Amino acid sequence: MSKKKMADYRSHLQDVLDAPEGAHIAALFDFDGTIIAGYSATAMLWEKIKRREMTAEEIVETVNVMAQYSTGNMGFSGLMSGAAKFMKGVTEDSYFEFGEELYEKHIARKVYPETRALIEAHRAKGHTIAIVSSATIYQIEPTARDLEIEHVLCSQYEVENGEFTGNIIRPLCFGEGKVIAAENLAADYGLNLDKSYFYSDSYDDIELMERVGKPRPLNPNTKLREAARENDWPLESYESRGQGKPVDYVRTIYATGSLIGSAVASLPIWALTGSQREAMNFSTGLFGDIATALTGCELEVGGEENLWTSRPCIFVFNHQSKADVMILAKLIRRDMGGVAKKEVRDTPVIGKLMELAGTVFVDRANAGSAIKAMAPLIDAVKNDGKSIVIAPEGTRTLSPKLGPFKKGAFHMAIQAGVPMVPIVIHNAGDVAPKNEFLMRPAKVKVDILPAVDTSKWSIRTMNEHVAEVRGMFLDALGQGEEEDALEALVNKERPAAKRAGASQTRKPASATKKPAAKKSAARKPVAKKATVKKPVAKRTASRSTPVKKASPAKSKKVAPAK
C-alpha cells in the first residue's frame, strides 16, 4: 500500500459511516474468518469427533481429503463432495439442530464485535446486507439470525425426502460461484454491485473482490494482503477474537485471581475492626478496580449518580459476560448482595468468598427452592440496608441481544419495598463473550438509569412492571425498534385470543422474546415480495442460492428466493 494511501487510510467502519445511503448498495460478507474468527467447518468436525459421531475410517478419509485440499491437489468441489458422501441418509433436520448446538457452544463467541459494528453501520445506511459464503446454511444460519442478516448465499448439499443424498449442488458458492450468487441477488433486488462492498479474508474470493466497486479485505491472508497492496484496497485486521496472545492469558488468570488477593487484603480490616461487612466492602471495590485494570476494561459510564441516590435498592443488569462481575464490583463497590447459580458455590475458594460477600446460590431448575433461598436477601435489604444485584435474564446471553426477563428480581423489589435501579451494560461481550475463557481489553459502555419507584407495584400487575423495566433496557440498548417490528409481525400472524395473553408486552411496544418458528416453516425461502427487512423466524428467513438449477424428479433442494 502506498504511503499516501496509508496516510489517507480510514477504518472500514468510518468508510461506511461516510457512505451514501440506499438499499441499492449491497454489503456482502464472507463468513469464516470475516464475520467469525477461524473456520466453522473445523468447529463442526471437532464437535462431531468429540461426540463420537464419526467412525475411524471417516476421520482418516476426512483428514486425507483436507490434506489434499490444503496442498492444492484437490479443489473445493472435491472437498465438499468428500464431506457430502458421509452425510448420505442423514436427515436435514438433524443438521439444522446440530448447527444450533454448534452456534451455542462454539461459533457465537467467535463473532468479531468489530464486524458486528460494521453490519450495524451498513444497516443504519439502509444497505442490503448478505452473507456470501462457501460454507453451508447449517453452519451459517444461527449467526445470520443473530446478526439479523436476511440473505444467505451459500453452498448446498442435495436433499431428497428430508435426507441428504450424498451429492452436492453445483456450482458451489466458491470462487466464480460467489460472483454468480452476488449477481443473482443483485438482479432480484435491484442492487448496484459497482457501488457495493464485499468483505473477505481470503484470496479465494478474489473474483468477487474484483467484481464489486468497494472491495474490503478484512483479516486478509498473505495472498489477499498482497493483492490489496497492489490494488490500493483499504484493509483491516481484528484481534478481538480467535487465538489470544500470551498476555491475554496472563491478564485473564491474574484478573480472576485478584478476587482472592482482594479478599486476603481485607483480612486486616476484619481482624482489627471486627466488621465483616467493612472488610467485604473493601474487598469488593478493590477487586473491581484491580480486575478491570488488569484486563484493560475501560468503563464509559452514564448516569453514575444513580448508583447512589436510591440505596438500598434492587440493582438489575443485563448479563452478557463473566466480565459483568468485575464491572459491577467496580461500580457498586459496597453494601451489596447477589444471586448466582448453585454450581458457582462449588468453585474452590471463589465460591466461599462469594458466599461470605453475601451471595445466595440458587437452583435455577427449582423455582420454589430459589424463591426460598432468596429470603435472606430480603432480610438483608430491610434490616441491614444492603442492595441486591440480580440479572433478570437469569443467565448470560450469547450476543448483545436482550433476553426475556424472569420475575424473581421484581418479587424481591415488592417484598423489600425498595426501588429498582437498572444497570444497562452495552458490550461486556467485547471483553469476554459467553463460553470464552480469555478476557481482552475493551471500552465498555454502561448506562445507570434512574431508579424505578416500586411502591405501587403489586403481584397482580407484575407483567406490566417486567415489561416496563425491560423496555427501559431495550430503549437504552437501541433494540426497542427491532422488537417493535417483530411484535407487529407476530401479532399480525397470531390469533387475537392468543395476542391478549402476551406476558412481556411493553408500552407502547412489545418486549417479548423472539418467537421460535417451526422448523419446517422457518426453512421455507422467503418470497421476494414478502421479504421483510429483518428476519423473524427462528431460522433465518432468506436462503438465496448461487444459481437456479433444475431439480431431479422427487429431489428436494433449497430453492433460490424468488
Side-chain angles (χ1 to χ4, degrees), residues 8 13 107 118 125 255 331 405 472 503 514 539 543:
D8 293 341
L13 180 60
I107 294 179
L118 261 179
K125 289 291 184 175
L331 292 173
F405 278 11
M472 295 170 68
S503 62
K514 293 188 178 182
R539 296 197 163 94
R543 293 188 201 153

Side-chain angles (χ1 to χ4, degrees), residues 222-345:
T222 301
K223 200 169 182 181
L224 181 57
R225 185 179 293 273
E226 292 173 355
R229 287 170 175 160
E230 291 174 2
N231 291 280
D232 274 353
W233 293 339
L235 53 84
E236 194 163 71
S237 295
Y238 302 148
E239 297 181 348
S240 60
R241 293 292 184 266
Q243 186 64 38
K245 299 177 180 177
V247 68
D248 295 322
Y249 287 90
V250 172
R251 77 168 80 248
T252 300
I253 294 169
Y254 272 84
T256 304
S258 68
L259 178 62
I260 300 173
S262 300
V264 171
S266 72
L267 292 178
I269 297 175
W270 193 350
L272 295 173
T273 67
S275 173
Q276 178 182 341
R277 181 169 178 170
E278 285 305 314
M280 289 299 101
N281 285 341
F282 175 81
S283 176
T284 298
L286 183 62
F287 164 66
D289 291 339
I290 293 176
T292 52
L294 285 172
T295 57
C297 177
E298 181 182 348
L299 300 185
E300 180 184 323
V301 184
E304 191 168 2
E305 67 279 3
N306 295 322
L307 288 167
W308 306 100
T309 56
S310 301
R311 295 199 186 190
C313 64
I314 306 297
F315 287 109
V316 288
F317 70 100
N318 55 313
H319 200 4
Q320 296 182 342
S321 168
K322 65 181 181 181
D324 294 338
V325 175
M326 65 182 185
I327 291 171
L328 293 168
K330 183 176 180 65
L331 292 173
I332 300 174
R333 307 196 71 81
R334 60 180 296 115
D335 299 330
M336 58 186 282
V339 179
K341 59 184 180 181
K342 67 175 184 178
E343 291 81 3
V344 176
R345 180 167 46 192

